[in-house]
Amino acid sequence: MIIHWKNGLNEEEYFYHPEYRGTIQQYLHYWALNNHKQTDISTLIILANQLLKGNVKEIALYDLIRYAAITGQDKVAIVTAFTDYLKYASDGFLKEYVIKSFQPQILAKRLGVGNDIMYSELVSDRDVKYHSWVELLSTDENKFIYLDFWASWCAPCRTEMPNSKKLLEEYSSKGVKFIYISIDDNVSSWKKAIAELGLSNSTNYLLPEGKMSPFSEKFKINTIPRYMLVGKDGQIINDNAPRPSDPKIRQLLDEVLRK
């Protein structure tokens, strides 16, 4: 298929042809080089905004940020590119899809103070807002935290939930906060499971990249369900705590609460 860039660049009927769509990034890259500009993702996103229009621009922007998210870019560069994408994109459907599908893994690449995993933005709540682990585990409520790692597709995890609710009812007033961390890779399935299990939205978070995340690798979260007990100071007391159905969990909670 021969594409006449000058006349056809913004013609949608050409753009939706796979060969045409596949060459749009090449065109932007070539234009940047020809005009002595950088060819990083952010620059290409800016050029797409300047050179394209309508749905052609929207899908070109989507393709660029999708490529950046999937292939993996420099931590700072990809966050900058994502910011530029949100600035220039105007298609509400595509923006929402990008935010839910790619924002978690984009921000998961951004580490905080001293590249410490505990300062990285790895956790997303149901409203797709981001929190560092330090923020999540450092509570001003002066409570211990019982972390429950689970997923919508994990039958043993769901089986434990009724026992977890009983544990919450018994210990939340005694000084224990219960937080649920999902390793789902499907946001819709995660939200559906929260509703089905009757869990609180305010204490449910999503772990981008799941078992492949830096946090999972650090604490070897290879199987779920998995439970951790965190102290009032935000430090992990037990990174493999007993399950809610195990009588030993009450012994452990009673022990730490007495101290």
Side-chain angles (χ1 to χ4, degrees), residues 42-82:
S42 282
T43 299
L44 296 182
I45 285 176
I46 293 171
L47 289 177
N49 180 64
Q50 295 173 346
L51 301 173
L52 308 175
K53 61 184 180 182
N55 289 336
V56 174
K57 182 187 80 170
E58 296 302 321
I59 299 179
L61 291 173
Y62 165 79
D63 283 341
L64 285 166
I65 197 63
R66 178 179 180 275
Y67 173 81
I70 292 176
T71 59
Q73 303 285 317
D74 173 80
K75 297 181 181 69
V76 176
I78 193 172
V79 173
T80 301
F82 184 73

Side-chain angles (χ1 to χ4, degrees), residues 62 65-66 69-70 97-106:
Y62 165 79
I65 197 63
R66 178 179 180 275
I70 292 176
Y97 182 79
V98 167
I99 289 172
K100 291 181 178 179
S101 300
F102 303 131
Q103 189 175 26
Q105 66 190 87
I106 287 173

Side-chain angles (χ1 to χ4, degrees), residues 71-164:
T71 59
Q73 303 285 317
D74 173 80
K75 297 181 181 69
V76 176
I78 193 172
V79 173
T80 301
F82 184 73
T83 302
D84 289 333
Y85 168 80
L86 294 180
K87 178 180 178 182
Y88 296 121
S90 57
D91 185 286
F93 176 81
L94 279 178
K95 285 180 74 172
E96 181 179 1
Y97 182 79
V98 167
I99 289 172
K100 291 181 178 179
S101 300
F102 303 131
Q103 189 175 26
Q105 66 190 87
I106 287 173
L107 291 186
K109 299 178 185 300
R110 192 173 88 190
L111 296 179
V113 181
N115 284 341
D116 188 336
I117 288 174
M118 299 304 288
Y119 282 90
S120 57
E121 290 179 312
L122 294 171
V123 183
S124 166
D125 68 12
R126 186 172 180 176
D127 295 322
V128 198
K129 295 178 182 177
Y130 294 85
H131 310 264
S132 69
W133 279 100
V134 167
E135 178 188 348
L136 182 66
L137 301 182
S138 299
T139 172
D140 57 5
E141 300 173 57
N142 197 33
K143 289 185 175 182
F144 292 93
I145 300 175
Y146 186 61
L147 293 176
D148 181 334
F149 291 86
W150 69 293
S152 62
W153 44 262
C154 172
C157 301
R158 298 179 72 122
T159 300
E160 286 289 338
M161 287 303 181
N163 291 298
S164 182

